[in-house]
């Protein structure tokens, strides 16, 4: 199982929210490059970057941070937040991202998403399933789609999307444990899916549980920044 640390950006600074609430923001670092380098030094290969300014409805705001990290590390980066048109995609890929994480557009404009897949390839996209009570929410978790997680994933797999990250909004940033039961249910329905867990990871033991559940990856954020999981633990997990 891959460990994928998260760097969430507001105004170029590393932050974490609780349940996606911008009023519950904690700033952890104003040097995201140094944070990324510390992950790389621990043997981590991937990085999940979220432009929260963009996700809140503004245009892409943190591409410069992406460019800096991509140029100064060898991390495989997926980048998301505020990507609304093809020009945004090109900016992100040109900025050094290997993949783009998308959410709202897959629901709001599936035709455009299919065009993107045709132009760039399905492997260049990492869709995010943000769920509350098994229903998909979009636009920074503000809008309910009326689509359940299983229908969402089925539609993506029909487009030859092979990996998805799933965030249980009720658990994100709360350090109360991941939505393991939900992930097991998803993998039972879609055994070939590469499912990446996101949200609620609070301890090293959570990573062991997610690996045993069959998740192919885990996005870890607040647990690292709050020193609930050390980089040394992650380094040992990767080696083993």
């Amino acid at each position: 199982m891959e460990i994928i640390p998260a760097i969430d950006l507001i105004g170029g600074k590393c932050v974490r929210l609780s349940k996606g609430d911008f009023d519950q923001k904690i700033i952890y670092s104003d040097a995201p490059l140094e944070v990324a380098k510390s992950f790389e030094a621990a043997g981590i290969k991937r990085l999940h970057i979220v432009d929260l300014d963009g996700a809140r409805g503004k245009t892409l705001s943190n591409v410069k941070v992406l460019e800096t990290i991509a140029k100064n590390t060898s991390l495989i980066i997926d980048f998301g937040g505020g990507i609304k048109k093809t020009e945004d995609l090109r900016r992100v890929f040109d900025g050094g991202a290997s993949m783009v994480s998308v959410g709202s557009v897959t629901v709001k404009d599936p035709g455009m998403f299919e065009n993107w897949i045709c132009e760039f390839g399905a492997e260049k996209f990492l869709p995010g399933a943000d769920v509350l009570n098994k229903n998909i929410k979009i636009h920074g978790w503000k809008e309910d789609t009326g689509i359940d997680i299983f229908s969402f994933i089925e539609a993506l797999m029909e487009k030859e999307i092979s990996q998805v990250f799933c965030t249980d909004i009720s658990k994100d940033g709360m350090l109360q444990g991941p939505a393991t039961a939900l992930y097991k249910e998803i993998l039972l329905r879609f055994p070939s899916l590469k499912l990446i867990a996101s949200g609620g990871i609070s301890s090293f033991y959570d990573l062991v549980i997610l690996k045993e559940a069959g998740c192919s990856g885990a996005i870890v954020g607040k647990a690292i920044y709050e020193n609930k999981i050390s980089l040394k633990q992650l380094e040992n997990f990767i080696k083993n």
Side-chain angles (χ1 to χ4, degrees):
M1 185 178 77
E2 286 190 296
I3 302 298
I4 311 170
I7 292 182
D8 292 356
L9 298 169
I10 292 179
K13 298 178 180 180
C14 298
V15 307
R16 292 298 292 171
L17 308 179
S18 294
K19 296 185 180 180
D21 187 349
F22 283 81
D23 292 328
Q24 297 186 56
K25 175 183 72 177
I26 300 174
I27 298 173
Y28 287 103
S29 175
D30 59 3
L33 173 59
E34 297 311 310
V35 174
K37 283 184 173 180
S38 70
F39 296 149
E40 185 177 38
I44 287 163
K45 304 297 184 185
R46 289 183 61 175
L47 180 65
H48 177 69
I49 300 180
V50 182
D51 182 345
L52 286 174
D53 294 310
R56 193 158 40 171
K58 300 177 182 178
T59 57
L60 287 171
S61 302
N62 291 283
V63 176
K64 288 293 184 184
V65 178
L66 165 65
E67 292 174 349
T68 299
I69 293 174
K71 287 178 182 177
N72 292 281
T73 73
S74 59
L75 293 166
I76 298 168
I77 303 170
D78 71 79
F79 183 98
I83 298 169
K84 301 177 178 66
K85 50 187 185 292
T86 305
E87 180 185 338
D88 296 333
L89 268 183
R90 292 199 177 99
R91 282 187 65 198
V92 170
F93 287 134
D94 289 346
S98 298
M99 289 173 282
V100 167
S101 54
V102 290
S104 302
V105 69
T106 65
V107 174
K108 285 293 192 180
D109 198 339
M112 183 168 69
F113 183 49
E114 287 184 17
N115 290 338
W116 287 355
I117 290 173
C118 289
E119 182 172 352
F120 298 96
E123 73 282 357
K124 302 293 284 186
F125 295 93
L126 177 62
D130 297 328
V131 299
L132 188 63
N133 300 320
K134 297 185 182 179
N135 289 315
I136 299 292
K137 295 180 79 71
I138 58 174
H139 290 151
W141 303 348
K142 297 175 185 176
E143 182 179 339
D144 190 8
T145 64
I147 301 170
D148 68 78
I149 177 64
F150 306 106
S151 300
F152 179 80
I153 290 175
E154 186 173 18
L156 290 172
M157 295 190 76
E158 288 174 356
K159 296 178 175 67
E160 299 186 354
I161 297 290
S162 62
Q163 61 177 337
V164 173
F165 72 94
C166 181
T167 306
D168 186 328
I169 296 168
S170 69
K171 294 179 176 293
D172 190 66
M174 302 307 292
L175 296 176
Q176 295 175 354
T180 309
L182 174 62
Y183 300 144
K184 287 181 177 179
E185 190 174 351
I186 291 170
L187 288 168
L188 187 64
R189 187 86 66 94
F190 306 103
S192 66
L193 178 70
K194 294 178 181 177
L195 181 63
I196 298 172
S198 173
I201 295 170
S202 60
S203 68
F204 180 77
Y205 180 68
D206 286 337
L207 299 178
V208 176
I209 293 298
L210 289 171
K211 183 177 181 179
E212 291 175 350
C215 292
S216 66
I219 293 174
V220 190
K222 197 170 187 176
I224 296 175
Y225 298 114
E226 295 279 347
N227 297 313
K228 304 291 185 182
I229 301 175
S230 70
L231 291 180
K232 186 63 178 177
Q233 284 178 306
L234 294 180
E235 186 175 358
N236 290 336
F237 183 87
I238 293 165
K239 287 178 179 177
N240 295 328

